[in-house]
């Protein structure tokens, strides 16, 4: 299964233009250098790649399908909309691709314990799942606010045998869970592997997570060529930290395909209650990398808001900052209510309930498709399924009706 | 010779270790903090580290995190910290080090921060999340303003990294006693001596040990091995606990002078240089 394998000969640079890097306390340097070295050797090792490919196929259910949304496309009255169905991957989102890759790496490094941060709980569930699969211990760090709004995933993690550490500092969301996970890892790296969930953070995570997620784009590229005999005109994916988006985009970087990342515009960019680091942020350093972040004029990190816990993060992966700076990809926002409308629309028209994160991408794709001619093709990464969000959707819709 | 190097020279010549005291600037309030600095200097701190509070400090434990949040809530800003430094410098010659994360400096403007820090009487800067590999913009800016660039080394730093870091470091080398975040601990790690020796093998620059140094007996132990001891969370805790007490200044003064007493006469004079 060729698509389970990484490209060789790609740049292993620590930086993406002016972005990326390793801005961490000295105590994290040795663990990060060790992970980077182990990953370099693993990615060149055909045995590792074969094993990963087999798990992706037999365990995660890859390749996921590429689905033509006939009714949604008709509704939009423009371009054809295709969905890359990462919601059909095992555990219900693209997060399993990276969790499998890094858990195999952790095993190769002799670690018996995994730790992970999670926002929406999808990465936490994926990590708890691979920990169960490989018989490893697992600690998941999650903000108190996210524990509340993603109760289903919290219970799934517990069933899978993970220990949940609830974070009550700061904004009590993903940002704070990452802070705490890094703090704990500083003292435990000799025994514990930190399975970072998005294409952000210090090197090697942005590169490694992107590589493990690129299976999405490689499959989608082959599938659309099979179906349509040509590449899509637009790729659309939601961006929190940016792992599903970079996974879809990366294999298309050299193609004549436009790429749009959709950030959480929350209650609207003008309200300040959003999580749109690329469209409304500025350059800064957070969680080990230089990127675009949401910050005060004095460099303090702002708290964010999104109805989607997985997008509720004041930073973004450094490769996206570079794709934006060079103009190779474009980044826009979708508000909470636009995402909720897209959630309802996709559910009604296609019988697919998207994760609220992915619903941001759907919202933009619907808008975009309406402006394009019928022969145009828009390919959306449906990065996760929405079961986890049903209680939150119910709560928010009830609030709106009041 | 910088003010920091000169201070290590003096304490070393007297056969003492240097006592480095860390406080979060603006904790518990900017006003109270500004009054505590002279008390800390008077009680015998050889160097004062002023932490510029940052919202997301990766290397800090709960005590300094909470104090930083408190100071931010009180309106403390990087500019405010430099003003506080300048106010102190007008009357005191104790070396001042500013300690923070890279983002507040980056956002301030790297050259402007270096220039204005030096102008405020700051002698050196520690950037806790700026390893030597990423310091390409910072070191020249700091040098141009005459600031010492203090870097950290950890027990897991490879020999190659020790070499690289001690070459870039000026003022002193900050040896992190253990893996993990800042915060008081009961005991010092057994491997600390070997760690300090690894650094000493590469440099004649002063070495100070921090993280988990909270009691006079820790200071004694550290000053037998290294040129100085850094105490942070323990005094930040004391300030937090006693903030509304009328005796706050006296309690801080007593604690610092007890710690300073513990540094005395532990080093054979003229050991270095």
């Amino acid at each position: 299964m060729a698509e389970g394998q990484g490209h060789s000969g790609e740049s292993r640079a620590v930086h993406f233009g002016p972005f990326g890097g390793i801005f961490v306390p000295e105590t994290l340097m040795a663990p990060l250098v060790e992970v980077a070295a182990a990953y370099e050797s693993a990615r060149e090792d055909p045995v590792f790649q074969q094993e990963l490919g087999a798990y992706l196929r037999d365990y995660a259910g890859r390749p996921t399908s590429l689905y033509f949304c006939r009714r949604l496309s008709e509704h939009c009255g423009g371009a054809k909309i295709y969905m890359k169905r990462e919601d059909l991957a095992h555990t219900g989102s693209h997060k399993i691709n990276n969790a499998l890759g890094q858990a195999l790496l952790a095993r190769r490094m002799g670690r018996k314990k995994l730790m992970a941060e999670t926002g929406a709980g999808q990465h936490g569930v994926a990590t708890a799942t691979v920990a169960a699969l490989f018989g490893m211990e697992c600690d998941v760090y999650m903000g108190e606010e996210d524990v509340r709004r993603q109760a289903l995933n919290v219970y799934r993690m517990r069933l899978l045998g993970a220990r949940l550490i609830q974070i009550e500092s700061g904004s009590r969301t993903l940002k704070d869970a990452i802070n705490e996970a890094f703090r704990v890892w500083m003292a435990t790296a000799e025994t514990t592997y930190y399975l970072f969930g998005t294409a952000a953070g210090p090197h090697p995570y942005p590169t490694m997570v992107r590589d493990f997620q690129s299976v999405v784009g490689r499959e989608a590229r082959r599938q659309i060529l099979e179906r349509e005999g040509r590449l899509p005109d637009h790729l659309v994916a939601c961006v929190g930290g940016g792992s599903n988006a970079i996974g879809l985009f990366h294999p298309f970087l050299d193609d004549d395909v436009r790429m749009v990342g959709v950030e959480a515009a929350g209650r609207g960019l003008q309200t300040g209650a959003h999580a749109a680091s690329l469209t409304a942020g500025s350059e800064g350093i957070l969680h080990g990398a230089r990127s675009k972040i949401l910050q005060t004029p004095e460099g303090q990190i702002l708290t964010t808001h999104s109805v989607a816990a997985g997008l509720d993060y004041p930073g973004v992966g450094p490769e996206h900052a570079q794709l934006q700076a060079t103009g190779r990809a474009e980044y826009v926002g979708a508000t909470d209510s636009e995402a909720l409308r897209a959630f309802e629309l996709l559910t009604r028209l296609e019988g697919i309930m998207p994760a609220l994160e992915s619903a941001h991408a759907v919202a933009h794709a619907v808008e975009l498709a309406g402006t394009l001619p019928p022969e145009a093709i828009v390919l959306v990464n449906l990065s996760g399924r929405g079961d986890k969000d049903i209680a939150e959707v119910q709560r928010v819709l009830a609030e709106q009706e009041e | 010779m910088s003010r920091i190097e000169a201070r290590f020279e003096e304490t070393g010549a007297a056969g003492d270790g240097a006592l480095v005291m860390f406080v979060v600037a603006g904790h518990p309030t900017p006003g109270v903090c500004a009054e505590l600095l002279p008390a800390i200097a008077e009680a015998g701190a050889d160097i004062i580290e002023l932490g510029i509070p940052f919202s997301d400090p990766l290397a800090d434990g709960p005590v300094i995190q909470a104090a930083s949040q408190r100071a931010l809530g009180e309106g403390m800003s990087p500019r405010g910290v430099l003003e506080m430094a300048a106010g102190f410098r007008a009357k005191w010659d104790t070396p001042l080090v500013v300690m923070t994360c890279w983002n507040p400096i980056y956002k301030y403007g790297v050259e402007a921060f270096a220039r204005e820090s030096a102008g405020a009487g700051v002698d050196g800067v520690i950037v806790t999340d700026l390893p030597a590999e990423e310091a390409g913009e910072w070191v020249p800016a700091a040098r141009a303003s005459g600031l010492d660039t203090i870097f950290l080394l950890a027990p897991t730093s490879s020999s190659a990294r020790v070499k690289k870091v001690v070459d870039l470091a000026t003022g002193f080398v900050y040896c992190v006693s253990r893996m993990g975040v800042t915060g008081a601990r009961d005991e010092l790690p057994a491997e600390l001596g070997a760690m300090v020796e690894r650094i000493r093998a590469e440099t004649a620059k002063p070495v100070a040990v921090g993280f988990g140094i909270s009691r006079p007996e820790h200071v004694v132990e550290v000053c037998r091995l290294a040129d100085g001891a850094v105490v942070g969370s323990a005094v930040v805790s004391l300030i937090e606990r006693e903030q509304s007490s009328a005796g706050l200044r006296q309690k801080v003064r007593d604690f610092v002078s007890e710690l300073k007493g513990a540094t005395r006469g532990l080093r054979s004079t003229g050991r270095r240089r």
Side-chain angles (χ1 to χ4, degrees):
Chain A
M1 125 142 225
E3 283 153 354
Q5 297 169 11
H7 291 297
S8 56
E10 272 172 15
S11 160
R12 299 286 100 192
V14 173
H15 297 91
F16 304 90
F19 302 106
I22 315 188
F23 295 87
V24 295
E26 179 67 22
T27 39
L28 280 176
M29 287 303 294
L32 287 168
V33 166
E34 189 189 357
V35 170
Y39 175 58
E40 282 314 296
S41 113
R43 69 186 292 279
E44 300 300 338
D45 179 355
V47 176
F48 178 85
Q49 294 293 348
Q50 266 163 26
E51 193 175 18
L52 174 58
Y55 275 108
L56 287 172
R57 182 188 64 223
D58 303 333
Y59 187 73
R62 305 207 69 89
T64 57
S65 66
L66 183 73
Y67 171 70
F68 171 50
C69 296
R70 185 177 309 279
R71 295 192 71 214
L72 184 69
S73 302
E74 281 168 13
H75 171 85
C76 299
K80 289 183 174 175
I81 302 175
Y82 278 89
M83 301 254 168
K84 180 60 174 163
R85 296 291 305 275
E86 290 302 294
D87 60 318
L88 296 179
H90 181 45
T91 70
S93 83
H94 71 291
K95 293 294 188 188
I96 191 72
N97 306 325
N98 171 54
L100 277 169
Q102 288 198 52
L104 286 171
L105 184 67
R107 200 172 67 171
R108 189 183 163 96
M109 293 170 71
R111 300 297 194 273
K112 302 269 190 315
K113 181 171 177 179
L114 303 177
M115 60 185 289
E117 81 295 340
T118 197
Q122 294 298 81
H123 175 59
V125 167
T127 304
T129 298
V130 296
L133 173 66
F134 297 125
M136 293 170 156
E137 267 185 83
C138 182
D139 283 354
V140 179
Y141 292 77
M142 189 169 187
E144 191 185 28
E145 167 65 8
D146 293 336
V147 168
R148 181 195 65 72
R149 57 182 167 170
Q150 306 280 222
L152 178 68
N153 274 345
V154 168
Y155 191 58
R156 288 169 77 192
M157 286 183 259
R158 289 192 168 129
L159 286 175
L160 287 160
R163 192 165 71 110
L164 193 91
I165 294 106
Q166 185 167 313
I167 306 306
E168 288 161 18
S169 60
S171 58
R172 304 168 186 219
T173 60
L174 181 56
K175 161 179 91 78
D176 311 285
I178 293 175
N179 286 339
E180 204 50 38
F182 273 122
R183 287 177 189 134
V184 171
W185 196 41
M186 275 177 208
T188 58
E190 275 180 27
T191 56
T192 306
Y193 180 91
Y194 185 8
L195 208 162
F196 198 69
T198 193
H203 180 78
Y205 289 111
T207 305
M208 177 166 62
V209 176
R210 175 252 279 158
D211 288 352
F212 287 138
Q213 292 296 359
S214 290
V215 65
V216 176
R218 286 195 299 275
E219 286 177 8
R221 196 174 183 284
R222 172 178 59 75
Q223 289 167 320
I224 196 75
L225 285 172
E226 280 168 14
R227 290 287 289 277
E228 291 281 351
R230 70 176 185 91
L231 294 172
D233 301 283
H234 290 83
L235 302 176
V236 181
C238 67
V239 177
S243 72
N244 91 81
I246 203 71
L248 177 66
F249 293 175
H250 204 258
F252 290 89
L253 280 181
D254 296 331
D255 297 319
D256 184 18
V257 173
R258 296 182 64 173
M259 301 172 176
V260 190
V262 186
E263 296 191 295
R267 300 196 179 97
L269 295 183
Q270 73 291 348
T271 65
H274 60 77
S277 328
L278 288 162
T279 42
S282 55
E283 279 184 32
I285 293 89
L286 175 65
H287 294 148
R290 180 181 301 187
S291 188
K292 295 281 287 287
I293 62 176
L294 293 167
Q295 59 184 329
T296 68
E298 286 161 350
Q300 307 297 341
I301 309 305
L302 288 168
T303 56
T304 51
H305 163 82
S306 170
V307 70
L311 305 183
D312 203 349
Y313 178 60
V316 66
E319 195 166 6
H320 285 295
Q322 175 67 353
L323 290 176
Q324 183 193 41
T326 59
R328 179 62 191 91
E330 144 189 37
Y331 296 87
V332 299
T335 62
D336 287 353
S337 47
E338 287 165 344
L340 284 162
R341 277 203 299 279
F343 177 95
E344 293 179 291
L345 193 65
L346 191 65
T347 303
R348 293 290 176 87
L349 290 178
E350 299 286 353
I352 299 172
M353 239 174 249
L356 282 176
E357 291 76 19
S358 322
H360 286 72
V362 175
H364 182 74
V366 164
E367 194 187 306
L368 175 66
T371 68
L372 297 172
E375 64 277 13
I377 299 170
V378 174
L379 197 161
V380 182
N381 195 5
L382 195 68
S383 54
R385 71 181 184 219
D387 312 44
K388 69 181 178 66
D389 293 314
I390 290 172
E392 184 70 2
V393 168
Q394 190 179 21
R395 191 184 68 81
V396 175
L397 291 181
E399 255 178 33
Q400 285 180 357
E401 277 164 27
E402 271 165 20
Chain B
M1 185 183 290
S2 75
R3 199 184 263 130
I4 294 171
E5 289 164 347
R7 183 55 62 100
F8 275 102
E9 194 85 341
E10 284 164 31
T11 53
D16 298 343
L19 177 66
V20 185
M21 293 301 302
F22 169 91
V23 293
V24 174
H27 173 251
T29 67
V32 172
C33 184
E35 286 174 13
L36 286 174
L37 298 182
I40 292 169
E42 230 167 28
D46 293 296
I47 296 174
I48 296 179
E49 283 181 18
L50 266 181
I52 299 181
F54 177 54
S55 54
D56 294 78
L58 266 197
D60 283 315
V63 168
I64 294 176
Q65 281 177 51
S68 299
Q69 283 304 323
R70 176 77 190 271
L72 288 172
E74 293 285 336
M76 206 63 219
S77 65
R79 202 168 296 278
V81 177
L82 298 189
E83 282 165 17
M84 189 180 286
F88 176 81
R89 179 57 73 231
K91 294 185 189 148
W92 298 86
D93 70 353
T94 309
L96 271 183
V97 171
V98 158
M99 184 162 179
T100 190
C101 292
W102 185 229
N103 197 53
I105 296 178
Y106 180 76
K107 190 70 179 165
Y108 197 101
V110 173
E111 281 181 19
F113 183 83
R115 198 174 50 241
E116 290 171 29
S117 295
V122 170
D123 303 293
V125 178
I126 305 174
V127 191
T128 52
D129 59 352
L130 193 72
E133 286 79 353
E134 299 287 358
E137 195 182 353
W138 169 239
V139 170
R143 297 268 188 283
S145 294
L147 290 174
D148 280 330
T149 53
I150 298 148
F151 283 88
L152 295 97
L153 281 168
T156 50
S157 303
S158 65
S159 331
R161 287 189 57 73
V162 170
K163 235 180 175 52
K164 185 188 272 188
V165 167
V166 298
D167 282 349
L168 270 187
T170 55
F172 66 95
V173 176
Y174 192 132
C175 170
V176 175
S177 71
R178 66 184 73 235
M179 303 309 288
V181 294
T182 56
R185 307 289 202 291
D186 286 339
E187 284 176 14
L188 296 182
E191 323 75 63
L192 185 59
M195 168 70 194
V196 173
E197 283 316 308
R198 279 212 297 141
I199 300 173
R200 289 241 192 263
E202 299 295 341
T203 185
K205 293 170 186 171
V207 177
V209 175
F211 281 45
I213 318 296
S214 58
R215 301 174 190 167
E217 56 267 34
H218 296 162
V219 171
V220 169
E221 219 176 310
V222 163
C223 290
R224 286 199 175 113
L225 305 166
D227 304 293
V230 187
V231 178
S233 295
V235 72
V236 174
S237 277
L238 174 68
I239 294 169
E240 177 68 26
R241 205 165 53 237
E242 302 290 340
Q243 57 179 289
S244 41
S245 133
L248 171 65
R249 280 180 58 147
Q250 193 54 47
K251 282 183 170 133
V252 169
R253 196 189 303 263
D254 290 347
F255 183 52
V256 174
S257 77
E258 194 189 359
L259 294 172
K260 181 58 206 172
T263 68
R264 302 229 185 251
L266 296 169
R267 309 207 56 72
S268 48
T269 50
R271 174 172 187 246
R272 293 184 313 105
R273 278 180 270 254

